[in-house]
Amino acid sequence: MAERKVDFENRGFQGRWEAEYMFADIKGKPYSLVCGDGVAVIKEYNIRQHYETKHHDKYKHLDKKQKLQKVEELKRSLASQQAMFAKAKTQSEAAVKASFIVAAEIAKSAWPFTEGEFVKNCMMKVCNVVCPDKRQAFSNVSLSRNTVADRVRELATNLQQQLVGKGRDFIAYSLAVDESRGTSDTAQLSIFIRGVDSSLCVTEELLGLRSMHGTTTGKDLFEEVSRCVNIMRLPWDKLVGLTTDGAPTMCGQKSGLVGRIREKMREENGAGELTAYHCIIHQESLCGKALKMEHIMSTITRAVNFIRAKGMNHREFKSFLEELGSEYNDLPYHTEVRWLGQGKVLKRCFELREEICQFMESKGKDTTELRDKKLLCEMAFLCDITSHLNALNLQLQGRGRVITDMYAAVRAFKTKLRLWETQMQQENLSHFPCCQTMKEQVSTAVFPRAKFAEKLSILGADFTRRFADFEAQKSRFELLSNPFAADVESAPTNIQMELIELQCSDTLKAKYDSVGTAQFLRFIPNTMPQLRTQAAQMLSMFGSTYLCEQLFSLMKINKTSHRNHLSDEHLHSILRISSAQSLTPNIDELASKMRCQVSGLD
């Protein structure tokens, strides 16, 4: 005989069982109102047996009316208990959620985990004044050191899981990789991913931060990057771009990271075209060294250090400026690490050149070099060109930058350099205000316009040389930065037909004119899959390792000499939270899975 299946017998709870056996239907299952036990199968025999075995003797003296009264009493008691448990559960989840929120803020602010205890002490004191009746609710929020550390780790894990989920939908992605040394002299490899899904939505997040305690060869770098890609389950054939800091171990075509990744892609899918870039911001800063004017900066640095290195000199110089009624009240410090601040130092020194000389002379210092007209002209030129270079650098920084826009800024600067060179030869100094000031103070014969024009030419040539890898992609950039002006015949054959359809669509042209290049790419219709794939690949490209450098700055803030015991796991969790941009932790989901753990402070 076949085994009977209870699920198909349509057994349901009968109302009369409440009075007869003191049972109630709770969420589709019968439970005893007396002891709370349930029965596995909704069957009168089972319910009757439970009642007669365990509760009959206790309630056999009650008549039917008394029994019904007892049942109602027990049901009210049960409802009260359920309400109390539901409220406790809600309060517990709220307390856990609050602890996650505070832990996330602690991570973003680079505070030690022990600051959770300080925050809770503040919360309790505020609660005692503002809402003392809520003291228990605040007390339930666990913010002990261990709890905050656990919360930070769970938040980071949640972000990583979200990124894995997003990665499944990527139709193209690129990586930005850079390496730096931490305070403990451990090499840290920063890897960021920029992925684009079929809707052409961009996700830009930290893929991984790997601590490298041994060597940092091209093979070592590749193994760490490969491990991150595999952990995230990213397909190698969707990788289209790799941007590095340009170090030999990174960009080597055979044993470097670039060469090894290309070899990996050939092994995985037989083809796989990888476009490798040297960080556009790094290259721009290196171009400035082509001017070969370090002797000017050395002279200025010596003067600045004389004033700023000693507290007495610095205080006296500030008082000196105040007595003279100067527009400025101080002189900024310059270090080689903060190279972007070089322009500010140069400009301030140029504007305070007379005051600096007077102060140094009052201290018995020789200022012959600082008063030399030729050197002052070179200082003015360096001040002006550095100001222009810094403006370009700031233009290239930031998150979510489209590579076509970044290279457009570089190409515009190269055009400016050619214009400035021509104008310098003609003694037109409209765009060089410091040079204009010096030219008015010295004779035409002293102002070396031909020399400066030559330096502008050298700078332009260095820009052309260093940005050759970007120039090689010029036609590809132009295809998507201005698709309606692209030459169809020179475009890749697989997109020519779609490009013609695009250029002949008045509706798409109107959309392009209204939303601009970056936004328009998302409006390319699904009927043009090849163009959408090209757009996805271009949107995924990193133009710089700016995000990596920004992460290293966050790392130095967190991993200080006062937090030298911070583990690699906790450091990586903190940085994943503080660097998150496209994703946010799902705190509601995390809180619903946990119970409130009362802090050790209570």
Side-chain angles (χ1 to χ4, degrees):
M1 181 183 292
E3 185 178 346
R4 290 194 310 163
K5 294 186 178 179
V6 175
D7 291 343
F8 297 116
E9 293 186 4
N10 297 319
R11 291 174 179 164
F13 187 85
Q14 297 183 31
R16 62 183 178 82
W17 294 348
E18 284 189 0
E20 292 181 19
Y21 309 121
M22 306 182 80
F23 261 73
D25 182 15
I26 301 175
K27 294 183 179 180
K29 290 187 177 182
Y31 287 90
S32 170
L33 290 171
V34 180
C35 65
D37 290 346
V39 294
V41 180
I42 305 177
K43 188 176 179 182
E44 185 172 6
Y45 172 80
N46 295 342
I47 294 173
R48 184 174 63 248
Q49 184 182 41
H50 176 92
Y51 174 74
E52 291 178 349
T53 304
K54 296 187 177 182
H55 309 301
H56 178 266
D57 291 342
K58 184 177 180 180
Y59 297 104
K60 64 183 180 180
H61 64 281
L62 299 178
D63 58 28
K64 187 175 182 180
K65 184 178 179 181
Q66 291 174 328
K67 206 171 184 181
L68 283 173
Q69 289 176 346
K70 187 62 178 180
V71 166
E72 290 301 319
E73 180 184 332
L74 291 172
K75 285 173 69 175
R76 286 194 297 271
S77 176
L78 176 63
S80 175
Q81 289 177 7
Q82 288 176 331
M84 182 181 67
F85 288 141
K87 182 179 179 181
K89 181 180 178 183
T90 301
Q91 291 178 343
S92 174
E93 287 188 7
V96 174
K97 183 177 178 180
S99 71
F100 272 113
I101 292 171
V102 174
E105 293 304 314
I106 287 174
K108 292 175 185 177
S109 302
W111 287 357
F113 297 149
T114 52
E115 290 299 311
E117 299 173 354
F118 169 75
V119 171
K120 182 160 184 180
N121 281 331
C122 293
M123 284 168 45
M124 296 307 298
K125 290 182 184 297
V126 170
C127 175
N128 290 336
V129 175
V130 178
C131 49
D133 56 315
K134 301 291 184 181
R135 178 178 173 79
Q136 187 57 48
F138 280 85
S139 180
N140 287 341
V141 180
S142 179
L143 291 175
S144 65
R145 181 195 180 283
N146 290 339
T147 298
V148 172
D150 290 341
R151 298 288 190 262
V152 167
R153 186 178 63 253
E154 289 155 11
L155 288 165
T157 301
N158 182 261
L159 286 171
Q160 188 174 20
Q161 290 170 347
Q162 289 186 52
L163 185 59
V164 171
K166 286 270 189 181
R168 298 192 192 103
D169 300 326
F170 289 161
I171 60 175
Y173 70 93
S174 295
L175 302 177
V177 183
D178 200 357
E179 181 253 331
S180 181
R181 296 276 169 178
T183 54
S184 59
D185 207 32
T186 299
Q188 299 284 354
L189 186 68
S190 170
I191 310 162
F192 273 84
I193 185 172
R194 185 177 168 93
V196 182
D197 60 22
S198 57
S199 301
L200 298 187
C201 293
V202 179
T203 299
E204 190 176 77
E205 290 292 335
L206 175 66
L207 182 66
L209 180 67
R210 315 296 296 189
S211 298
M212 305 180 68
H213 299 277
T215 58
T216 56
T217 63
K219 180 183 178 182
D220 299 322
L221 299 178
F222 168 73
E223 288 176 351
E224 295 297 342
V225 172
S226 180
R227 189 175 291 113
C228 283
V229 171
N230 293 333
I231 288 174
M232 292 294 180
R233 303 170 196 164
L234 296 166
W236 286 96
D237 61 330
K238 297 294 190 294
L239 177 60
V240 295
L242 177 63
T243 303
T244 69
D245 62 358
T249 53
M250 290 282 189
C251 58
Q253 295 301 313
K254 289 186 178 180
S255 58
L257 176 63
V258 172
R260 290 178 182 274
I261 287 184
R262 281 184 172 145
E263 180 63 28
K264 175 69 174 179
M265 293 175 70
R266 282 192 291 269
E267 291 175 2
E268 290 288 326
N269 57 9
E273 181 182 348
L274 179 72
T275 304
Y277 293 108
H278 178 182
C279 172
I280 197 169
I281 297 177
H282 189 220
Q283 291 193 87
E284 186 265 353
S285 65
L286 290 175
C287 285
K289 297 185 181 297
L291 295 169
K292 297 188 182 304
M293 300 184 74
E294 290 81 3
H295 63 289
I296 303 297
M297 205 62 220
S298 297
T299 301
I300 293 172
T301 301
R302 284 196 297 272
V304 171
N305 287 348
F306 171 76
I307 294 171
R308 291 295 306 258
K310 293 184 178 180
M312 178 64 74
N313 286 350
H314 186 205
R315 291 192 296 273
E316 289 180 352
F317 181 70
K318 291 172 70 175
S319 300
F320 179 67
L321 292 178
E322 188 176 349
E323 290 172 6
L324 293 177
S326 173
E327 179 183 353
Y328 305 102
N329 59 9
D330 202 359
L331 192 63
Y333 221 149
H334 169 63
T335 64
E336 286 297 324
V337 175
R338 297 176 181 175
W339 60 269
L340 193 58
Q342 179 175 295
K344 295 179 181 179
V345 174
L346 278 166
K347 188 165 182 63
R348 185 67 59 85
C349 285
F350 180 76
E351 292 168 340
L352 291 175
R353 58 192 180 280
E354 183 60 34
E355 290 86 342
I356 290 173
C357 287
Q358 290 180 23
F359 179 78
M360 292 182 68
E361 287 168 355
S362 70
K363 293 291 184 178
K365 288 289 184 179
D366 183 19
T367 59
T368 304
E369 191 176 17
L370 285 173
R371 290 190 178 278
D372 182 71
K373 298 296 183 184
K374 181 181 177 182
L375 183 137
L376 288 174
C377 288
E378 290 181 326
M379 183 194 297
F381 173 76
L382 185 59
C383 180
D384 285 330
I385 194 62
T386 302
S387 177
H388 290 310
L389 286 168
N390 282 0
L392 173 61
N393 188 280
L394 291 172
Q395 195 176 351
L396 297 173
Q397 291 184 22
R399 298 189 68 119
R401 301 303 307 275
V402 180
I403 194 170
T404 52
D405 294 340
M406 296 179 75
Y407 187 57
V410 172
R411 286 195 297 112
F413 192 81
K414 288 164 64 178
T415 304
K416 291 175 184 177
L417 284 172
R418 290 194 293 271
L419 173 65
W420 295 336
E421 180 186 352
T422 302
Q423 290 180 337
M424 185 65 72
Q425 292 170 342
Q426 299 170 351
E427 295 188 5
N428 179 355
L429 304 175
S430 303
H431 303 290
F432 287 74
C434 294
C435 286
Q436 182 68 45
T437 300
M438 285 307 304
K439 186 176 177 297
E440 294 171 357
Q441 296 179 7
V442 300
S443 63
T444 304
V446 173
F447 188 80
R449 59 183 177 84
K451 179 180 178 181
F452 294 159
E454 182 184 2
K455 287 193 175 295
L456 289 170
S457 176
I458 292 171
L459 185 59
D462 205 51
F463 262 81
T464 299
R465 178 180 66 85
R466 289 191 177 279
F467 288 100
D469 52 347
F470 287 89
E471 187 67 23
Q473 301 290 326
K474 181 180 177 181
S475 59
R476 192 179 177 189
F477 290 165
E478 290 176 346
L479 178 65
L480 291 172
S481 62
N482 191 3
F484 292 93
D487 181 15
V488 176
E489 292 185 5
S490 61
T493 55
N494 66 320
I495 66 171
Q496 287 178 338
M497 298 300 99
E498 293 180 8
L499 188 59
I500 290 174
E501 292 176 15
L502 180 77
Q503 292 179 348
C504 292
S505 172
D506 293 334
T507 303
L508 291 176
K509 180 64 169 67
K511 178 62 73 174
Y512 175 82
D513 293 336
S514 64
V515 302
T517 304
Q519 294 298 321
F520 171 73
L521 297 179
R522 296 180 175 85
F523 292 95
I524 298 176
N526 293 326
T527 54
M528 302 177 184
Q530 295 298 328
L531 274 177
R532 287 182 68 85
T533 299
Q534 286 281 332
Q537 292 177 353
M538 195 58 56
L539 285 171
S540 75
M541 293 285 188
F542 280 105
S544 73
T545 57
Y546 171 82
L547 294 179
C548 299
E549 296 293 341
Q550 191 179 51
L551 189 79
F552 292 143
S553 296
L554 289 172
M555 183 177 68
K556 289 178 182 177
I557 293 172
N558 282 278
K559 188 82 172 183
T560 65
S561 57
H562 300 292
R563 299 186 74 187
N564 55 3
H565 293 299
L566 187 67
S567 68
D568 288 341
E569 181 187 7
H570 282 133
L571 175 63
H572 298 174
S573 296
I574 290 169
L575 294 179
R576 186 175 291 280
I577 295 168
S578 55
S579 66
Q581 187 76 15
S582 306
L583 305 175
T584 54
N586 191 335
I587 293 178
D588 288 333
E589 177 186 333
L590 290 169
S592 66
K593 295 178 180 178
M594 303 190 64
R595 292 181 178 180
C596 175
Q597 299 171 357
V598 179
S599 170
L601 290 174
D602 303 328

